[in-house]
Amino acid sequence: MQWFFNNEIIVIAFTIVIYFIAEKLQKKTGVFLLNPILVSVVIIISFLSVFNIDYETYHKGSKYIDFLLKPAVVALGVPLYLQLEKIKKQVLPIIISQLVGCIVGVVSVVVIAKLMGASKDIVYSLAPKSVTTPIAIEVSRAVGGIAPLTAAVVIVVGIFGAVFGYVIMKLFGVKNPIAQSLAIGNAAHALGTSRSMDISPNYGAMASIGLILNGVLTALLAPYILKVLSPWIDA
């Protein structure tokens, strides 16, 4: 089966078909746990494991999908632009909420990881968990974390947020659409934003703001937050 995944066209087609089936499955069943991204990941990993295909072979064939992730993130700016007037009226609450979200997101995971006995490099690797992978990796490297671990954690956090984010907010009585979508974008980056796009362009636009602002704020503030907490982390 190695030859199968050495063909880029076959890999792209295989991945798209799996995602298409997963998306149709969720729409037909309405089960929130059947998130298309989560289902696709499980199916593809299972397929690779059963046929003993290493990830490098799959990744080599899927490089064009990886490349398309970058313009896909940029495309999130379209609904953002369409909601610009509404956003201007909410600038101060949006900035404050994202600043708080950034600080709480970094501090909470550091504290929890430290209390559970994680080592210093593990703690630093987890700190940028809620931003997109490229930013998270650079922050992790800058503070002395383990970049591959950070990348894996970011993906897990994004999937968890996309699957459970809106359910958790509903349980805690968070009903305001702006608050919901900003929180998802802040906590679950691009995957959470993608989930918001499925709900409506308005949700997607606000989630995009959360994604962008938290990415910028985390890149700027995370090193300083970790520096302040470092005496406790090193103890």
mmCIF file of all heavy atoms in Angstrom, residues 9 16 30-31 45 73 91 100 130 154 187 195 206 217 221 234:
data_model
loop_
_atom_site.group_PDB
_atom_site.id
_atom_site.type_symbol
_atom_site.label_atom_id
_atom_site.label_comp_id
_atom_site.label_asym_id
_atom_site.label_seq_id
_atom_site.Cartn_x
_atom_site.Cartn_y
_atom_site.Cartn_z
ATOM 1 N N ILE A 9 -2.013 12.755 -6.015
ATOM 2 C CA ILE A 9 -3.416 12.900 -6.415
ATOM 3 C C ILE A 9 -4.298 11.931 -5.633
ATOM 4 O O ILE A 9 -5.381 12.301 -5.157
ATOM 5 C CB ILE A 9 -3.573 12.650 -7.937
ATOM 6 C CG1 ILE A 9 -2.690 13.601 -8.736
ATOM 7 C CG2 ILE A 9 -5.038 12.798 -8.338
ATOM 8 C CD1 ILE A 9 -2.992 15.058 -8.498
ATOM 9 N N ILE A 16 -9.948 14.012 0.919
ATOM 10 C CA ILE A 16 -11.171 14.788 0.669
ATOM 11 C C ILE A 16 -12.405 13.899 0.757
ATOM 12 O O ILE A 16 -13.426 14.298 1.338
ATOM 13 C CB ILE A 16 -11.091 15.477 -0.713
ATOM 14 C CG1 ILE A 16 -10.022 16.574 -0.687
ATOM 15 C CG2 ILE A 16 -12.450 16.070 -1.092
ATOM 16 C CD1 ILE A 16 -9.772 17.216 -2.036
ATOM 17 N N GLY A 30 -26.719 14.212 13.144
ATOM 18 C CA GLY A 30 -26.863 15.323 14.081
ATOM 19 C C GLY A 30 -26.112 15.112 15.384
ATOM 20 O O GLY A 30 -26.280 15.885 16.333
ATOM 21 N N VAL A 31 -25.257 14.106 15.452
ATOM 22 C CA VAL A 31 -24.490 13.811 16.669
ATOM 23 C C VAL A 31 -23.250 14.699 16.704
ATOM 24 O O VAL A 31 -22.393 14.612 15.815
ATOM 25 C CB VAL A 31 -24.068 12.324 16.709
ATOM 26 C CG1 VAL A 31 -23.238 12.036 17.960
ATOM 27 C CG2 VAL A 31 -25.302 11.434 16.658
ATOM 28 N N ILE A 45 -5.957 7.764 10.571
ATOM 29 C CA ILE A 45 -4.956 7.137 11.447
ATOM 30 C C ILE A 45 -5.165 5.624 11.500
ATOM 31 O O ILE A 45 -4.191 4.851 11.443
ATOM 32 C CB ILE A 45 -5.023 7.744 12.866
ATOM 33 C CG1 ILE A 45 -4.502 9.181 12.842
ATOM 34 C CG2 ILE A 45 -4.217 6.903 13.854
ATOM 35 C CD1 ILE A 45 -4.598 9.894 14.175
ATOM 36 N N VAL A 73 -6.808 29.925 5.973
ATOM 37 C CA VAL A 73 -6.851 30.786 7.159
ATOM 38 C C VAL A 73 -7.032 32.243 6.752
ATOM 39 O O VAL A 73 -7.810 32.992 7.353
ATOM 40 C CB VAL A 73 -5.564 30.617 8.004
ATOM 41 C CG1 VAL A 73 -5.521 31.645 9.121
ATOM 42 C CG2 VAL A 73 -5.495 29.213 8.586
ATOM 43 N N VAL A 91 -15.502 47.154 19.708
ATOM 44 C CA VAL A 91 -14.040 47.055 19.760
ATOM 45 C C VAL A 91 -13.511 46.867 21.168
ATOM 46 O O VAL A 91 -12.712 45.961 21.435
ATOM 47 C CB VAL A 91 -13.380 48.293 19.111
ATOM 48 C CG1 VAL A 91 -11.881 48.300 19.395
ATOM 49 C CG2 VAL A 91 -13.598 48.288 17.610
ATOM 50 N N VAL A 100 -8.093 39.022 28.344
ATOM 51 C CA VAL A 100 -8.356 38.151 29.498
ATOM 52 C C VAL A 100 -8.259 36.688 29.087
ATOM 53 O O VAL A 100 -7.668 35.864 29.797
ATOM 54 C CB VAL A 100 -9.750 38.456 30.096
ATOM 55 C CG1 VAL A 100 -10.106 37.435 31.174
ATOM 56 C CG2 VAL A 100 -9.787 39.860 30.671
ATOM 57 N N SER A 130 -3.556 27.346 22.697
ATOM 58 C CA SER A 130 -4.818 27.818 22.113
ATOM 59 C C SER A 130 -4.659 28.685 20.873
ATOM 60 O O SER A 130 -5.614 29.338 20.455
ATOM 61 C CB SER A 130 -5.622 28.585 23.173
ATOM 62 O OG SER A 130 -6.035 27.720 24.203
ATOM 63 N N VAL A 154 -1.793 21.477 20.314
ATOM 64 C CA VAL A 154 -2.628 22.471 19.627
ATOM 65 C C VAL A 154 -3.730 21.778 18.820
ATOM 66 O O VAL A 154 -4.890 22.202 18.829
ATOM 67 C CB VAL A 154 -1.771 23.363 18.700
ATOM 68 C CG1 VAL A 154 -2.644 24.170 17.746
ATOM 69 C CG2 VAL A 154 -0.918 24.307 19.524
ATOM 70 N N ALA A 187 -10.125 30.075 22.190
ATOM 71 C CA ALA A 187 -9.687 28.835 22.846
ATOM 72 C C ALA A 187 -9.347 27.710 21.883
ATOM 73 O O ALA A 187 -8.521 26.857 22.190
ATOM 74 C CB ALA A 187 -10.768 28.365 23.820
ATOM 75 N N ARG A 195 -15.612 25.385 12.887
ATOM 76 C CA ARG A 195 -16.891 24.929 13.450
ATOM 77 C C ARG A 195 -17.891 26.082 13.494
ATOM 78 O O ARG A 195 -19.080 25.894 13.215
ATOM 79 C CB ARG A 195 -16.646 24.375 14.854
ATOM 80 C CG ARG A 195 -17.918 24.060 15.647
ATOM 81 C CD ARG A 195 -18.625 22.829 15.101
ATOM 82 N NE ARG A 195 -19.830 22.559 15.839
ATOM 83 C CZ ARG A 195 -21.040 23.017 15.522
ATOM 84 N NH1 ARG A 195 -21.191 23.780 14.445
ATOM 85 N NH2 ARG A 195 -22.103 22.718 16.254
ATOM 86 N N MET A 206 -16.781 36.488 14.072
ATOM 87 C CA MET A 206 -16.369 36.759 15.451
ATOM 88 C C MET A 206 -15.329 35.751 15.942
ATOM 89 O O MET A 206 -14.402 36.096 16.669
ATOM 90 C CB MET A 206 -17.594 36.748 16.373
ATOM 91 C CG MET A 206 -18.514 37.924 16.181
ATOM 92 S SD MET A 206 -17.661 39.488 16.517
ATOM 93 C CE MET A 206 -18.895 40.677 15.991
ATOM 94 N N LEU A 217 -1.793 38.262 20.716
ATOM 95 C CA LEU A 217 -1.567 38.505 22.137
ATOM 96 C C LEU A 217 -0.707 37.416 22.780
ATOM 97 O O LEU A 217 0.162 37.699 23.608
ATOM 98 C CB LEU A 217 -2.906 38.612 22.863
ATOM 99 C CG LEU A 217 -3.733 39.867 22.545
ATOM 100 C CD1 LEU A 217 -5.135 39.745 23.139
ATOM 101 C CD2 LEU A 217 -3.037 41.118 23.088
ATOM 102 N N LEU A 221 2.598 38.201 24.670
ATOM 103 C CA LEU A 221 2.537 38.158 26.130
ATOM 104 C C LEU A 221 3.016 36.858 26.765
ATOM 105 O O LEU A 221 3.486 36.873 27.907
ATOM 106 C CB LEU A 221 1.095 38.432 26.589
ATOM 107 C CG LEU A 221 0.492 39.778 26.186
ATOM 108 C CD1 LEU A 221 -0.938 39.880 26.708
ATOM 109 C CD2 LEU A 221 1.338 40.930 26.716
ATOM 110 N N ASP A 234 10.061 26.613 38.038
ATOM 111 C CA ASP A 234 11.371 25.988 38.263
ATOM 112 C C ASP A 234 11.522 25.370 39.637
ATOM 113 O O ASP A 234 12.437 24.557 39.859
ATOM 114 C CB ASP A 234 12.478 27.022 38.066
ATOM 115 C CG ASP A 234 12.520 27.556 36.649
ATOM 116 O OD1 ASP A 234 12.006 26.867 35.752
ATOM 117 O OD2 ASP A 234 13.062 28.663 36.433
#
